[in-house]
Amino acid sequence: MNAEPQVPEPIAVIGLSCRTAGADDADALWQLLRGERRLIAPVPKRRIPSLDAGPVDAGPLQAALLDDPAGFDAAFFGVSRRMAAWMDPHQRVLLELTWHALENAGIAPEQLRGAPVAVFAAAPMADYRERMIQADVVDSAAFPGTLITFTPNRISYQFDWTGPSYAVDSACSSGLSVLAPAVQGLRAGEFSLAAVMAANITCNGFYTSSAYQAGALSPTGGSIPFSSRRDGYVRGEGGACLLLKRLADAQRDGDLVHAVIRGVGVAHNGRAGGLTGSDAPAQTQLFLRTAHAAGVPLSSVGYVEAHGTGTGGDLAEAAAVTDAFRTALEQPGARMAGPDGKLWIGSVKSNIGHLECAAGLLGVVKAVLVLRHGLIPPIAGLTEADPDLSFGDMPVALADRPVTWPRDAVVRRIGVNSFGVGGALAHAIIEDAPEATPGTQAETRSGPLAVPLSAMNRAGLAALAMRLSQSLCGPQLPDLASLAWTTQTGRAALPERCVLVAADLGELAEALAAVAGERAHVSVATEDLRGALGRLATPMAHTAGDWLDGLSIDWAKQWPHPQPRCPDLPGYPFQRRAHWFDAHGPQPRTRTDAPRAGTY
């Protein structure tokens, strides 16, 4: 008798960060998603040099761009100004996103020095290098600055990680495909922690011009996924970073688990979709294989975060989803698991554009946020569905309105889908994090607690205090003990330091306001003013004093039991300044290529 197939080990998302047009973190991204905001806007002049739509009748270029793609806190990472100027912006963005993901996970970077942490990055386009070529300039710093291999390798070097480190290129499915080696390696025990990341920055017109002339980009900029206004995709900028662990290890280590990855599948259309298109049957088979390999019924997926680019690929994707779930419902007792007994489909691209190599990873971030908040946001701007779109008699619906999806006894699952222009497919199944086991959280400490803050300089410290103060104004207030534990054990110890002493959140808020305003306060201890430490228990006061003196200390020794980490404390406020190898870039040049059709 054949043994039952072994259910693969679930993988926990223990840290995440993101940055998109209109959002510097996951909380901000969620606000624009639930607010149905579209961050599509005209592209400023000279933002994308050498842009030429050729014979395509296109209006002014529109995209969802970052406010400051040239900005980077080089000093924070110990990068010289010259190196920063010749460093591809993708590397800069990913350095910052990785730092914020570690903070989100409550892991001080120095704890992982020399550890076999794996880094898998989506391979970005070479816009910055192409911009240098067109400007006919070069510098030795461009050697590590523009080679694609340094997209992940720069991260491994910066944080001194010794696990595997390489880029994955499957075009627009890269951001989801990059999960596959991380999940496989974690399950095989090759490493115990993986950082997966992707970023997309536009700074040269070569790709945009060719995509226009190939019929991939929207000539109007008003394209909406799955709608009657579907005329090509709209480019977007940004990125994301996820930290992954085996679920059992995360639970053992007391990590905060945002969500669980049950499975990741990758495939290719073969010749079925053409060189640049996508094939519905190939996607259908991938959905079914991914669920089977993950050990879960596909019908248990209640929402699909679709690739949904606003191109002809939308129809193939919708057909694939419909056919896959029709097959899944043939199983005895199977039914749709989404709200109102339906399967819902959405796409984050209607809000922030198509982030190309980073699109799939932003889809995973959105899936995590949907599970966290119990709400499926609508496809922003969707007022009329594509008349060629049909789900037949299947209970499948586009998210054309906010749909509540609260957590109950049944585990909620989301399918995240992606496909690349070359035919590479990727699909992931994300589910709820396990409920916290009663009695596993440590008792709350009584009495005043020490909340250490540090930054590179006084301005950074003030900005950090302001961010933390703002986080205490939300509807879900953190527990003071968890907050103190996280700032003590889960943050880097930087040169400019202070210790806030507080017995409750109100007192902490007053102390934070003082630090933000660079004022002295009775609850704030600094290197020169330490009176506030007298309110702490003697061992903790000594520890805090040593920390203010710049010593490397172990805060955890002052706690009888580990505290749960505080979720979503604000990340470090990088003090960015522009680093660009040129001021304006080369002037546009003329192209006369004829347009070609594509689905992308």
Side-chain angles (χ1 to χ4, degrees), residues 206-217 233 235 356 596 600:
F206 175 79
Y207 173 77
T208 303
S209 300
S210 63
Y212 255 141
Q213 297 183 37
L217 291 184
Y233 82 83
R235 301 192 74 185
E356 296 158 342
R596 300 181 297 278
Y600 310 94

Side-chain angles (χ1 to χ4, degrees), residues 280-368:
Q283 290 187 63
T284 295
Q285 291 305 310
L286 179 60
F287 299 161
L288 294 168
R289 288 200 307 270
T290 302
H292 178 73
V296 299
L298 183 61
S299 60
S300 66
V301 172
Y303 169 67
V304 171
E305 173 59 26
H307 194 58
T309 56
T311 69
D314 289 2
L315 299 181
E317 187 173 19
V321 171
T322 304
D323 291 345
F325 280 82
R326 179 177 286 112
T327 300
L329 291 181
E330 293 174 356
Q331 298 299 315
R335 61 183 182 84
M336 289 298 193
D340 303 325
K342 298 179 181 179
L343 173 74
W344 296 85
I345 299 176
S347 174
V348 72
K349 294 177 182 63
S350 63
N351 303 93
I352 58 174
H354 184 358
L355 269 66
E356 296 158 342
C357 74
L361 211 55
L362 262 297
V364 175
V365 171
K366 179 183 173 183
V368 172

Side-chain angles (χ1 to χ4, degrees), residues 209-257:
S209 300
S210 63
Y212 255 141
Q213 297 183 37
L217 291 184
S218 167
T220 65
S223 182
I224 306 291
F226 301 107
S227 82
S228 57
R229 295 167 58 190
R230 172 182 59 78
D231 65 353
Y233 82 83
V234 180
R235 301 192 74 185
E237 287 185 330
C241 178
L242 303 180
L243 295 182
L244 308 181
K245 253 186 185 181
R246 290 183 293 272
L247 178 60
D249 292 348
Q251 292 174 319
R252 177 202 64 203
D253 297 339
D255 294 310
L256 175 71
V257 178

Side-chain angles (χ1 to χ4, degrees), residues 148-444:
I148 298 301
T149 188
F150 282 97
T151 306
N153 293 172
R154 174 81 70 170
I155 304 300
S156 299
Y157 171 81
Q158 181 71 41
F159 292 94
D160 193 19
W161 294 340
T162 60
S165 179
Y166 59 84
V168 174
D169 188 357
S170 61
C172 301
S173 61
S174 300
L176 203 56
S177 298
V178 79
L179 285 176
V183 168
Q184 291 165 3
L186 286 167
R187 286 174 172 164
E190 297 172 5
F191 40 82
S192 59
L193 180 65
V196 295
M197 58 195 69
N200 192 53
I201 305 294
T202 301
C203 55
N204 184 263
F206 175 79
Y207 173 77
T208 303
S209 300
S210 63
Y212 255 141
Q213 297 183 37
L217 291 184
S218 167
T220 65
S223 182
I224 306 291
F226 301 107
S227 82
S228 57
R229 295 167 58 190
R230 172 182 59 78
D231 65 353
Y233 82 83
V234 180
R235 301 192 74 185
E237 287 185 330
C241 178
L242 303 180
L243 295 182
L244 308 181
K245 253 186 185 181
R246 290 183 293 272
L247 178 60
D249 292 348
Q251 292 174 319
R252 177 202 64 203
D253 297 339
D255 294 310
L256 175 71
V257 178
H258 294 288
V260 170
I261 300 173
R262 285 304 301 260
V264 181
V266 291
H268 192 274
N269 292 320
R271 289 192 170 187
L275 182 61
T276 61
S278 188
D279 177 58
Q283 290 187 63
T284 295
Q285 291 305 310
L286 179 60
F287 299 161
L288 294 168
R289 288 200 307 270
T290 302
H292 178 73
V296 299
L298 183 61
S299 60
S300 66
V301 172
Y303 169 67
V304 171
E305 173 59 26
H307 194 58
T309 56
T311 69
D314 289 2
L315 299 181
E317 187 173 19
V321 171
T322 304
D323 291 345
F325 280 82
R326 179 177 286 112
T327 300
L329 291 181
E330 293 174 356
Q331 298 299 315
R335 61 183 182 84
M336 289 298 193
D340 303 325
K342 298 179 181 179
L343 173 74
W344 296 85
I345 299 176
S347 174
V348 72
K349 294 177 182 63
S350 63
N351 303 93
I352 58 174
H354 184 358
L355 269 66
E356 296 158 342
C357 74
L361 211 55
L362 262 297
V364 175
V365 171
K366 179 183 173 183
V368 172
L369 295 174
V370 167
L371 294 174
R372 177 186 300 176
H373 295 281
L375 177 73
I376 299 172
I379 300 173
L382 178 63
T383 55
E384 182 180 352
D386 188 328
D388 294 329
L389 189 70
S390 174
F391 300 117
D393 58 352
M394 289 289 291
V396 179
L398 296 176
D400 57 358
R401 57 183 173 83
V403 181
T404 57
W405 194 16
R407 181 166 185 164
D408 54 26
V410 178
V411 174
R412 297 169 300 172
R413 295 193 175 103
I414 293 175
V416 182
N417 195 47
S418 193
F419 49 85
V421 66
L425 311 175
H427 192 77
I429 297 177
I430 315 296
E431 72 178 26
D432 282 315
E435 294 272 17
T437 304
T440 59
Q441 294 190 352
E443 295 182 2
T444 300

Side-chain angles (χ1 to χ4, degrees), residues 5 9 23 32 60 62 87 97 175 194 199 204 242 253 380 394 473 571:
E9 189 165 11
L32 69 86
Q62 297 195 61
M87 183 191 295
L97 286 172
N204 184 263
L242 303 180
D253 297 339
M394 289 289 291
C473 300

